[in-house]
Amino acid sequence: MIKIFSTEQVKQLDQYTIEHEPISSIDLVERAATMFMHEFCRRYSKHARIVIFAGQGNNGADALAIAQLLQDEGYRVETYLFNPTEHLSLDCEMNKQRLLEMDRVEFTEVIADFVPPELEKYDIVIDGLFGSGLNRPVTGGFSAVINYINSSEATVVSIDIPSGLFGEDNRQNDPDAIICADLTLTFGFPKLAFLLPENAPFVGEWKVLDIGIHPEALENTATAWSMVTEEDISNVFEPRDKFANKGTYGHALLIAGSRGKMGASVMSARACLRAGVGLLTVHIPQRGEQIMQMSVPEAMVSFDNHKEYFTVVPELSHYEAVGIGPGLGQQLESAAALERLLQTAGKPMVIDADALNIIASNNDLLNKIPARSILTPHPKEFDRIAGETATTYERIYKAQALAVKHNICVVLKGAYTATCTPSGNIYFNSTGNPGMATAGSGDVLTGVILGLLAQGHKPETAAVSGVFLHGTAGDMAAMYRSEESMLAGDIPEMLGKAFKALGGK
């Protein structure tokens, strides 16, 4: 797992590294600047004109160190240091003096009036005005500089975090006073703000640079947020027993489908089987028989009493896990049957789509969900349950609170899908692509998680690894089909390759 720390914790981690490596503060700045320089040189030509905007604090110190290194590499660098209070941090002052000692330096210290340079389309601006410790909106002259940079056609590369952006909660921020970067090269680990869609226009592409934060500090500093990596998931899928049989890998029940929505049940069933479940029974309305039997012959079928939608809870004792929701419909009889199911299931469930919408219309059902069940809402489905939210930041914290209160997992779908667990931890996914924003992709995810849950994985593991596996298969489908033409049905077909990529057989 890649831990994601708050901006306050970042200061503590830096200080621990300085004291226990040990390393001086200015040398840590130099290390960060060197990593930035290497990545920058890999991406950008020496023919480009580089214009650096540095602030008074440690982000400015990074910027001035980068100016020195890029000039040594043969870039043409113009540096503007904004110092309206005539007070620089110690590291910033030291790097200012080092820069001034170099030959052929184009350096301007701005204390009062600022005559901005003409920024052209092929110029590259390096933004080092403010770092991750900012906690109030940028105003005054600095806001004007940010607006000037944003209004140009130059490429903008931010150091650690776009100036003006807060590391976590930006609800009280001024979006007009935040740098809109094309690329953000951040130090140590992602900032929480990078994972939230409302901040995408500011962050642009981002990449983490390892600057050698002390491993003991990383290990011993607790945080609820982390990002899941391939290494974390590769340990989940163990080799299969040579003498195993279909009963070894569980029997799942999927309750899905209604008139006009049988496709959702088909995609979810295929995904469940491709996720490795031993046996799958799909409970469907009677008129769905031909569709299901022809589309997914590997699945067994249980028929509802009703021809067109779900009304009866089947016998549950044969199943290791139960999933419900894809294409279910929201009829009153289906809602009543869902309530009976929640009361009698007695085991963790996977709940999605119309099942979530039924719960949203009767929040008393939240208290009846079996412990450690997995809810998989997209943002609008979640807002129907928990109330409208203005930002993804607020939505994630509501999901975290809901997971803890009801002892469930909440998989909040989207880019960097966030899985909130009963313990209060939040796991962000690092796989997937925009091509997966297509009808049925969520139904496929429900099937994948259900298949893993039925095989005996703990609910938290099934949720987190299922999301990662689903995203990996989606990435492979995009490579084969393209993001534009990908269909949800392409994702289950790539699950086998995804398993192999993650260490499966």
Side-chain angles (χ1 to χ4, degrees):
M1 298 285 179
I2 299 173
K3 288 185 174 181
I4 301 171
F5 299 100
S6 70
T7 50
E8 189 59 39
Q9 288 175 313
V10 170
K11 297 176 186 176
Q12 298 168 7
L13 293 169
D14 286 348
Q15 190 58 40
Y16 187 98
T17 302
I18 289 168
E19 293 174 359
H20 291 81
E21 186 169 335
I23 185 174
S24 68
S25 177
I26 191 66
D27 286 341
L28 187 59
V29 168
E30 187 75 17
R31 183 190 292 173
T34 300
M35 296 303 298
F36 184 101
M37 180 269 294
H38 287 318
E39 182 64 25
F40 186 93
C41 293
R42 190 180 67 82
R43 290 171 179 257
Y44 300 109
S45 167
K46 292 181 182 178
H47 297 295
R49 170 186 175 226
I50 313 301
V51 183
I52 296 180
F53 292 84
Q56 298 169 273
N58 286 342
N59 198 245
D62 293 334
L64 296 180
I66 289 165
Q68 299 167 51
L69 294 170
L70 290 180
Q71 184 152 317
D72 281 341
E73 289 294 316
Y75 286 85
R76 177 193 168 190
V77 182
E78 299 174 25
T79 303
Y80 292 84
L81 172 60
F82 292 86
N83 186 17
T85 64
E86 299 187 69
H87 179 75
L88 303 175
S89 72
L90 292 176
D91 290 341
C92 192
E93 178 64 40
M94 188 175 296
N95 275 335
K96 169 190 164 183
Q97 297 304 323
R98 288 178 175 179
L99 184 61
L100 290 174
E101 291 170 5
M102 296 182 70
D103 295 330
R104 298 183 301 278
V105 169
E106 295 186 56
F107 173 81
T108 302
E109 185 169 6
V110 181
I111 294 174
D113 297 331
F114 173 51
V115 180
E118 291 289 336
L119 296 176
E120 304 293 340
K121 181 177 181 179
Y122 298 104
D123 294 339
I124 301 173
V125 168
I126 295 179
D127 155 43
L129 292 171
F130 296 101
S132 59
L134 191 70
N135 57 16
R136 62 180 183 273
V138 177
T139 58
F142 280 110
S143 177
V145 173
I146 288 172
N147 275 276
Y148 176 73
I149 294 171
N150 286 344
S151 66
S152 76
E153 293 186 90
T155 297
V156 181
V157 182
S158 286
I159 303 168
D160 198 34
I161 189 170
S163 291
L165 186 68
F166 303 156
E168 294 89 42
D169 183 4
N170 281 273
R171 286 176 292 179
Q172 304 302 317
N173 207 345
D174 178 6
D176 293 327
I178 303 173
I179 283 286
C180 295
D182 297 285
L183 171 67
T184 300
L185 297 178
T186 195
F187 301 137
F189 28 77
K191 309 303 182 280
L192 179 63
F194 296 179
L195 309 181
L196 310 179
E198 56 264 27
N199 299 325
F202 311 120
V203 179
E205 178 192 353
W206 58 269
K207 182 174 181 178
V208 175
L209 305 178
D210 183 3
I211 61 168
I213 298 298
H214 202 291
E216 286 182 4
L218 296 176
E219 183 178 350
N220 297 331
T221 303
T223 176
W225 314 320
S226 58
M227 177 166 277
V228 182
T229 67
E230 183 175 322
E231 183 181 0
D232 302 316
I233 302 304
S234 62
N235 297 322
V236 172
F237 306 122
E238 298 179 352
R240 292 199 159 198
D241 187 339
K242 186 177 183 67
F243 296 98
N245 58 65
K246 60 189 177 184
T248 306
Y249 297 107
H251 191 171
L253 172 67
L254 174 64
I255 302 172
S258 60
R259 183 180 181 183
K261 297 180 180 179
M262 287 305 299
S265 62
V266 168
M267 286 185 288
S268 193
R270 283 179 176 164
C272 185
L273 287 161
R274 290 290 189 191
V277 73
L279 294 162
L280 171 65
T281 295
V282 188
H283 184 83
I284 57 172
Q286 295 172 23
R287 283 188 175 171
E289 177 182 7
Q290 188 173 9
I291 294 172
M292 183 60 65
Q293 295 282 41
M294 293 182 68
S295 300
V296 195
E298 299 88 351
M300 295 178 285
V301 177
S302 162
F303 297 111
D304 199 273
N305 289 350
H306 201 281
K307 293 182 178 181
E308 296 186 348
Y309 51 81
F310 169 55
T311 62
V312 174
V313 178
E315 168 60 43
L316 301 176
S317 60
H318 308 298
Y319 308 109
E320 277 70 43
V322 178
I324 185 169
L328 192 73
Q330 300 179 53
Q331 293 80 7
L332 289 176
E333 292 168 278
S334 299
L338 173 61
E339 182 171 7
R340 292 194 296 274
L341 174 64
L342 296 177
Q343 291 173 321
T344 58
K347 63 193 72 177
M349 297 174 56
V350 184
I351 304 173
D352 184 34
D354 281 332
L356 294 173
N357 291 326
I358 291 171
I359 291 171
S361 66
N362 180 8
N363 266 12
D364 288 343
L365 294 180
L366 278 171
N367 297 315
K368 299 179 180 180
I369 295 174
R372 299 176 70 218
S373 289
I374 303 164
L375 277 58
T376 60
H378 60 57
K380 286 186 178 180
E381 287 169 342
F382 180 79
D383 285 358
R384 292 183 194 122
I385 292 173
E388 291 292 324
T389 52
T391 65
T392 306
Y393 176 87
E394 183 180 354
R395 186 176 294 117
I396 287 173
Y397 269 92
K398 279 190 174 183
Q400 181 192 41
L402 192 77
V404 172
K405 179 179 179 180
H406 294 281
N407 193 22
I408 57 177
C409 296
V410 179
V411 177
L412 196 58
K413 294 183 290 195
Y416 306 113
T417 291
T419 300
C420 305
T421 68
S423 62
N425 290 322
I426 303 172
Y427 299 96
F428 292 95
N429 188 49
S430 58
T431 60
N433 62 83
M436 299 174 73
T438 186
S441 182
D443 302 318
V444 172
L445 177 62
T446 297
V448 171
I449 295 176
L450 175 61
L452 296 177
L453 189 63
Q455 291 173 68
H457 292 288
K458 294 179 180 179
E460 294 85 348
T461 303
V464 172
S465 59
V467 168
F468 195 95
L469 181 67
H470 176 256
T472 302
D475 288 339
M476 292 177 171
M479 291 176 64
Y480 179 63
R481 295 288 189 187
S482 83
E483 291 182 0
E484 291 80 5
S485 68
M486 189 200 314
L487 300 176
D490 297 327
I491 301 173
E493 301 311 308
M494 291 293 172
L495 283 170
K497 291 185 176 181
F499 270 116
K500 285 191 173 183
L502 298 174
K505 297 293 185 180

